[in-house]
Amino acid sequence: QAGNEVIITTEIVADFPNPALIRVYGHKKKNPEILSSTTVQIGETFNVSGNRHRIPSRLKFEIVDPGTGDVVQTVQFHSSCSQPLATYDEFGGLTVWSADH
């Protein structure tokens, strides 16, 4: 991943909430589509898929404290044929465990 394609708007200075609500959005700037919204424990995995089981080229993840509703970290990154996701890619508090191409 090119460094200029990854945007982490909030660096965590404390622990992530456990569990955390993870919201995943598509790339539209106006009215972005929510692809997934799920609550996970630290270390758990979750799936992200878009239309026709393909993810859009830009994804935005919000890590939310479900107790307060506060967004504790926002991570946006680009993925495409020229910048594919790879196992163990890290983006802020997120790690890719597998990616189907």
Side-chain angles (χ1 to χ4, degrees):
Q1 294 289 315
N4 65 343
E5 293 288 355
V6 178
I7 301 167
I8 302 172
T9 59
T10 310
E11 282 295 336
I12 295 296
V13 294
D15 294 331
F16 283 105
N18 193 23
L21 172 64
I22 309 294
R23 290 191 294 237
V24 184
Y25 296 88
H27 68 286
K28 295 178 183 176
K29 292 200 185 263
K30 289 189 175 186
N31 301 320
E33 175 185 10
I34 293 180
L35 301 176
S36 175
S37 181
T38 188
T39 301
V40 297
Q41 298 287 329
I42 290 177
E44 280 187 313
T45 60
F46 60 94
N47 295 319
V48 176
S49 183
N51 294 333
R52 297 177 297 190
H53 303 289
R54 302 180 87 180
I55 61 172
S57 59
R58 290 196 189 279
L59 289 172
K60 181 174 88 171
F61 291 79
E62 289 180 340
I63 301 173
V64 180
D65 183 333
T68 65
D70 294 338
V71 175
V72 297
Q73 189 174 61
T74 300
V75 177
Q76 177 180 297
F77 60 89
H78 174 88
S79 175
S80 66
C81 296
S82 64
Q83 293 189 64
L85 293 173
T87 302
Y88 306 124
D89 278 349
E90 291 187 26
F91 304 97
L94 305 169
T95 303
V96 175
W97 287 104
S98 86
D100 293 332
H101 301 286

